[in-house]
Amino acid sequence: MTNPLRAPWNTPFELPPFDLIEDAHFAPALEEALEEARVAIAAICDGSEPTFANTIESLSLADAPLEKVLSPFFALAGADSNEVREGLMRDFSPMLSAYSSEITANADLFARIEKLWETRESLDLNDEQHRVLMLVHRNFVRSGAELTGYAADRLAEVKQRLSVLGTQFTQNLLADERSWFMPLDDMAGLPDFVIQAATAAGEDKDAGGPVVTLSRSLIVPFLQFSLRRDLREKAYEAWTARGANGGETDNRALAAEILALRAERANLLGYDSFADYKLETEMAKTPGAVRALLMQVWEPAKSAAEADAQVLQATMHNDGETGPLEPWDWRYYSEKRRAAEHDLNEAELKPYLQLDRMIEAAFDCSNRLFGLEFAPIDAPLYHEDCRAWDVTRNGEHVAVFIGDYFARGSKRSGAWCSAMRSQQKLAGDIRPHVINVCNFAKPPKDAPALLSYDDARTLFHEFGHALHQMLSDVTYELISGTSVPRDFVELPSQLYEHWLEVPDVLEKFATHAETGEPMPRDLLDRMLGAATYDMGFSTVEYVASAMVDLAFHETEDAPADPMQKQAEVLESLGMPHAIRMRHATPHFAHVFAGDGYSSGYYSYMWSEVMDADAFQAFEENGGPFDPAMAAKLEKHILSAGGSEDAAVLYQKFRGSMPDATALLKGRGLAN
């Protein structure tokens, strides 16, 4: 019987035939694809005179069989895992790392790339080809292509071990998140939407009643509304103890080994620290530049948070509670304060923020800005919760967009955007298949899914990433879509969040789930007026995490005890007692699940400096939907991928690079 992962896909838009793919298909398909890719690499190294076409372009196409197998696999592994898929992930990670090292250690292949690099001025390359050649050469060098002997062998071992550890870290975290839940016998203070979400979660867990899980979309509103301080403490401590519960799923030793291996990797490659290695290709360039931005934001954020903590603690004491304000108290008393000071509470807002209407809002904004239209399509997807749309412009197919919005036990936490197929033109006019994955609380059957305002922002954020993929217009996959520096990739996503705050968008799409009435203008004004409410808290928990990440990676030797180092960094910052890091080390998946955001968690704030400035450009030039600004945004940012240096792209859009003034103002932290 033919393995569907190795056969042509006769599906709408050549989407993976998930209705035919079985877990047993992945391992044999990957083995065959690896062999096919190796044959393609060997064919490049045939002794012929190297050209851009027979070396760089051929290398770009060599991994196509691998991508066909791995794209559906990684979609499943992240969003709908099971024991078999977790086992496959543990097998595949070192296998793929070894293959990658094999390619970059191929002396004949690198010699061809090196010759092209040295003679690049005589090759008659266009700008995009120059950029791709530079990136390929740089990637090989940074992957150890110039190393020989023990150093080369050891680097391959280090990278392979890191791939194993990152996979294990992720799976341990998922296991902790999946296994913990708290039966809700006392629902005092909980609004209907929390009770409904807890009921649905209980059904999913077959718990015989409502439960609180460690899904952010459920546990955060529980912490906001539950009158039971003891239950808030129990839930909060479980949430923040993920990856640190002892036993087989404890991530603390893994984190220490990961940091040690990263430091060794940087040393083998001749860098002073892993942060120096990692930041070399980012916009920030140096650990010092990262620290400077974070500290510029830290002090005003900390001052705001400390002032807020005094108000919240006084409210708590007025309630008859004693002792200091604790982390499990903050959201509860902050919600009470918001209701008092802004006449606003989550229970009043939620019915107006329906998931389906917010999806429509994100689509409508992209239509007004870029002319995109979305039509539902019937195609085999990997889970019944998924939905797919054909994205068109002027009747021409642009992309397939897939939304997977609800939390479930088989899905890792957080929200992300990925491309099962990236845009490129080298192998034909290949249009992208883009997925947004979220973890919103699933409602009971036949009830509308309601979002918090933060959830709605997350939806817009991830759709901003999707636009970066869908509107990509380059020749080479290496520079397609979101293939840009990590501290630039969050610009399109964070910029798109601003359109959720445009009043006429909310007036049209924020409609009541039961009555269909639009959000009253008074409520809308109060909601937008509270946009920077509690910004001290959210900024402190974020910046603290980014500072710990930087401290882990900016010295030659890794900290032997990451938890001790974390404590030292927080003490040196003067971390407020009632706020903890957004992501403590044992569940800091951004940093430890892979290299993605390692020494790079600051990236959200670096991009925020630009996104605040970029939206200001719209406001200065005709408003949020100004067609000329939208065209510039698409041309220089969304369609350009990594075709030029990120700073050059931004300056083409805006004219100059911004400072942190707009960021501080946008967060309500400016003096």
Side-chain angles (χ1 to χ4, degrees), residues 127-170:
D127 290 344
E128 192 174 322
Q129 290 169 330
H130 266 290
R131 176 76 174 169
V132 168
L133 176 58
M134 183 280 288
L135 291 171
V136 170
H137 181 264
R138 187 178 75 180
N139 290 348
F140 268 70
V141 172
R142 285 170 55 81
S143 297
E146 294 179 328
L147 300 182
T148 57
Y150 170 78
D153 293 341
R154 178 57 185 159
L155 182 63
E157 292 172 1
V158 165
K159 290 195 287 188
Q160 191 166 2
R161 178 62 179 159
L162 281 169
S163 73
V164 171
L165 293 171
T167 298
Q168 192 61 53
F169 188 99
T170 303

Side-chain angles (χ1 to χ4, degrees), residues 137 164 178 182 201 210 369 416 440 446 449 478 492 504 576 612 652 655:
H137 181 264
V164 171
R178 193 164 46 202
M182 181 178 74
L369 288 163
W416 63 93
F440 304 143
D446 299 327
L478 181 65
D504 70 357
K652 284 185 174 181

Side-chain angles (χ1 to χ4, degrees), residues 348-362 364-365 368 449-453 456 460 499-525 527-528:
E348 184 182 13
L349 284 176
K350 273 236 177 182
Y352 291 99
L353 300 175
Q354 299 175 69
L355 171 61
D356 286 353
R357 295 292 280 157
M358 291 300 103
I359 294 171
E360 290 176 35
D364 186 70
C365 288
R368 295 172 68 181
L450 305 179
L451 304 183
S452 67
Y453 191 63
F460 267 66
W499 275 274
L500 178 62
E501 300 171 354
V502 175
D504 70 357
V505 173
L506 289 166
E507 286 170 354
K508 182 175 180 181
F509 293 100
T511 56
H512 198 280
E514 294 178 6
T515 67
E517 291 295 312
M519 182 183 288
R521 184 67 201 216
D522 172 60
L523 177 58
L524 191 154
D525 289 342
M527 182 177 76
L528 295 179

Side-chain angles (χ1 to χ4, degrees), residues 4-30:
L5 294 166
R6 299 285 294 158
W9 291 347
N10 299 312
T11 53
F13 306 103
E14 296 182 319
L15 286 164
F18 284 108
D19 55 337
L20 302 178
I21 296 171
E22 299 173 4
D23 290 343
H25 291 137
F26 284 112
L30 182 61

Side-chain angles (χ1 to χ4, degrees), residues 362-363 366 370 372 374 389 391 398-403 405 416-419 421 423 431-437 458-472 480-482 489-494 496 638-639:
F363 288 177
S366 73
F370 312 114
L372 300 181
F374 297 77
W389 291 266
V391 187
V398 172
V400 172
F401 176 69
I402 299 170
Y405 294 108
W416 63 93
C417 175
S418 58
R421 188 172 79 177
Q423 181 272 331
R431 301 309 309 167
H433 301 159
V434 184
I435 311 178
N436 274 179
V437 183
T458 296
L459 188 148
F460 267 66
H461 178 103
E462 297 306 331
F463 194 74
H465 282 308
L467 289 171
H468 203 181
Q469 297 276 20
M470 294 190 293
L471 293 174
S472 179
S480 176
T482 56
V489 79
E490 298 299 337
L491 167 60
S493 55
Q494 293 179 176
Y496 205 65
L638 297 177
S639 72

